[in-house]
Amino acid sequence: MQAKKLTKNILTPAKILVIGFFLIITLGTFLLSLPISSANGLRIPFLNALFTATSATCVTGLTVLDIGTAFSTFGQVVIVMLVQVGGIGFMTMATLIALVLNKRISLRERLILQEALNHSTIDGVVRLVKKVILYSLLVELAGALLLAIHFYFSLDLSFGNAVYFGIFHSISMFNNAGFDLMGTINGPFSGMVPFVNDPYINIVMMGLIFLGGIGFIVLSDLIDFPNTRKLSLHSKVVLSATLTLIVVGTLVIFAMEFSNPSTLKPLHGGGKFLASMFQSVTTRSGGVATLDIGSFRQSTQFMLILLMFTGAAPGSTGGGIKITTFVLLLGAVHSMMRGREDVVLFRKRIAKDVVYKAITLTLLSLLLIIVFSMLLSVTEHQDFMSILFESTSAFGTTGLSMGMTTHLSSFGKVWIICLMFFGRIGPLTLIYALSRDRKKDLYNYPEGRIIIG
């Protein structure tokens, strides 16, 4: 009995999330290592299976093997199931099973769900889980239907294959994973580049990535808006900042790549704009590209790095430091320049501890990317821009690559696996999981002053 109590005290919500993701990756690695998961019937090397399982569970999309040609149907189903569980969260799936079995959700489980979904309180967290599951299934079903119809007519697939392709890519895009099966049609690692001039595919996939990236709390607010006629502060910040970054990203890519013969120049006017918008949307954590990222100018690649680092919204299927963190940092800078003490967004004052958390998260994220970029510089024979791009993509669980992933050494694969895991869990959650129970100080030190600037 005492051991049980001790275990409960030791396993905080942050620790349970870390352990849960670790166990799912372990199970995925085992399944993908089986000969039945391989297209040729041979066992996939352990490190490659681990890399793929981590990338799928962390909804990243970086891969050392082409999903369409290297894995069997069984292996592909394992990957897309890992994407689904990793995207909406294993605790959400566990809660679904509990609800189906008519089991009561305990306070401890509600606290874990609050941590997993980045919800502000435990109040209404079970209702939110039900909405997460419902919205995910509805959006993925709609996306699968739209994609299956187009694949059936445009790719000359059988009805069954078109439906399979539609389901796989809808789940992958909505969960911001970026995996695709186009290697079976256009050759290994061809990705979505052949669809650069296809407005239908571009619009449907951008819609799926956008809906998956804004987060379930915002989705819930938008669906309830006709009745409530109001949006929460969180939803206002996420939507306004997301749309702003998409527009800015689109215009910058369009301007910088307009005359690049390897990217936008061969496309017609509307195609140039559509391709620019798609790359702007997907850098937020989508992981698929309709242009060769390695052929972009370095100025554009660096801007993509900044967008990947910013990432999607909290409580979404995307990664990065999260767009709300980015907005809070800008708000803090603006307040300091105006001589104000408080950060104010949409006429609402933001608590100082939230601002401190945003600063801490950003610095920890930068530190992780710097450390692992240095490690990759030691083990990989690549230019630094490719290394920085790959590191940021892995941490932001974005999945875009300049072509470095397939050339990674064994050490390089390990570094990227660590970055994908840390990026999905989040630096703060990882710190909370590794640290002792947080206690409030019983006393204050005398105030001191240092000079900055």
Side-chain angles (χ1 to χ4, degrees):
M1 192 73 177
Q2 284 184 342
K4 191 174 181 182
K5 285 184 178 179
L6 184 62
T7 303
K8 284 190 173 183
N9 289 332
I10 292 173
L11 292 179
T12 62
K15 289 178 181 177
I16 290 175
L17 287 179
V18 172
I19 294 170
F21 272 101
F22 178 78
L23 292 177
I24 292 169
I25 291 170
T26 302
L27 176 62
T29 303
F30 169 73
L31 293 174
L32 293 178
S33 297
L34 298 175
I36 193 176
S37 295
S38 173
N40 58 14
L42 301 176
R43 189 178 290 273
I44 292 173
F46 170 78
L47 193 56
N48 289 346
L50 175 61
F51 192 101
T52 307
T54 305
S55 185
T57 306
C58 299
V59 290
T60 304
L62 292 174
T63 178
V64 292
L65 299 171
D66 180 69
I67 304 301
T69 57
F71 292 93
S72 64
T73 303
F74 176 83
Q76 293 165 4
V77 170
V78 170
I79 289 169
V80 82
M81 290 304 296
L82 290 174
V83 166
Q84 185 73 83
V85 174
I88 67 174
F90 73 91
M91 274 306 300
T92 304
M93 298 297 289
T95 305
L96 171 62
I97 296 170
L99 292 172
V100 169
L101 297 176
N102 202 27
K103 288 188 175 182
R104 182 177 172 275
I105 310 300
S106 68
L107 175 62
R108 181 176 182 77
E109 289 163 345
R110 291 169 193 264
L111 287 170
I112 299 168
L113 285 169
Q114 178 193 350
E115 181 85 22
L117 295 172
N118 278 317
H119 202 43
S120 55
T121 66
I122 62 170
D123 184 39
V125 72
V126 176
R127 287 196 303 273
L128 178 60
V129 167
K130 293 178 182 178
K131 290 181 179 181
V132 166
I133 296 166
L134 178 62
Y135 299 161
S136 298
L137 291 177
L138 288 177
V139 172
E140 288 172 355
L141 184 62
L145 180 63
L146 292 171
L147 291 174
I149 293 171
H150 192 70
F151 288 150
Y152 179 72
F153 290 105
S154 65
L155 298 181
D156 197 27
L157 296 173
S158 66
F159 177 76
N161 278 338
V163 171
Y164 175 63
F165 267 51
I167 294 172
F168 185 98
H169 290 93
S170 179
I171 293 174
S172 179
M173 298 306 135
F174 176 71
N175 288 286
N176 282 208
F179 290 109
D180 68 82
L181 302 176
M182 294 305 161
T184 57
I185 298 172
N186 301 307
F189 299 105
S190 55
M192 306 305 295
V193 174
F195 294 94
V196 65
N197 285 311
D198 190 329
Y200 184 96
I201 289 291
N202 277 257
I203 292 171
V204 171
M205 287 194 169
M206 279 193 291
L208 287 169
I209 293 169
F210 175 80
L211 291 174
I214 60 175
F216 299 110
I217 297 172
V218 179
L219 269 178
S220 178
D221 268 7
L222 288 175
I223 292 172
D224 293 339
F225 182 75
N227 297 323
T228 61
R229 290 295 172 184
K230 64 178 182 178
L231 292 173
S232 65
L233 174 62
H234 172 80
S235 295
K236 289 178 183 178
V237 170
V238 168
L239 290 173
S240 59
T242 297
L243 294 174
T244 300
L245 283 184
I246 288 174
V247 171
V248 171
T250 300
L251 295 177
V252 172
I253 293 171
F254 185 84
M256 290 182 172
E257 298 297 317
F258 186 86
S259 59
N260 188 342
S262 300
T263 55
L264 291 185
K265 189 175 182 180
L267 304 177
H268 58 81
K272 286 184 174 69
F273 182 79
L274 187 64
S276 300
M277 180 179 287
F278 191 94
Q279 304 340 293
S280 178
V281 171
T282 195
T283 49
R284 305 294 311 294
S285 202
V288 289
T290 56
L291 295 172
D292 179 16
I293 302 297
S295 299
F296 279 14
R297 293 190 168 103
Q298 283 199 345
S299 54
T300 312
Q301 291 168 348
F302 188 70
M303 190 209 65
L304 297 184
I305 288 173
L306 297 178
L307 290 175
M308 290 191 298
F309 182 72
T310 302
S316 73
T317 58
I321 61 170
K322 302 296 189 282
I323 194 165
T324 47
T325 303
F326 176 70
V327 171
L328 280 175
L329 293 178
L330 292 181
V333 172
H334 179 261
S335 296
M336 183 63 68
M337 293 175 66
R338 295 286 298 273
R340 294 176 177 172
E341 288 189 3
D342 296 319
V343 176
V344 178
L345 300 174
F346 292 97
R347 298 183 179 180
K348 298 287 185 180
R349 178 175 57 83
I350 308 301
K352 283 185 170 59
D353 64 316
V354 177
V355 179
Y356 291 150
K357 186 176 179 180
I359 295 170
T360 304
L361 174 61
T362 304
L363 290 177
L364 286 174
S365 302
L366 280 172
L367 182 61
L368 276 173
I369 291 175
I370 290 169
V371 169
F372 280 95
S373 293
M374 291 173 66
L375 291 172
L376 285 167
S377 298
V378 174
T379 60
E380 311 306 305
H381 302 291
Q382 300 282 342
D383 63 277
F384 186 72
M385 180 61 81
S386 296
I387 289 172
L388 182 61
F389 194 98
E390 197 85 2
S391 299
T392 309
S393 180
F395 172 79
T397 67
T398 308
L400 295 177
S401 177
M402 290 170 57
M404 178 178 158
T405 311
T406 53
H407 303 291
L408 288 170
S409 65
S410 296
F411 280 113
K413 291 174 185 176
V414 172
W415 307 145
I416 295 298
I417 286 170
C418 292
L419 264 177
M420 290 190 292
F421 184 76
F422 296 156
R424 183 67 181 105
I425 294 297
L428 286 180
T429 302
L430 190 66
I431 292 296
Y432 294 158
L434 296 176
S435 62
R436 296 179 179 179
D437 293 340
R438 288 167 285 166
K439 295 179 181 178
K440 210 167 187 180
D441 290 335
L442 300 177
Y443 52 88
N444 289 327
Y445 289 101
E447 185 178 280
R449 293 187 178 275
I450 59 173
I451 300 171
I452 61 171

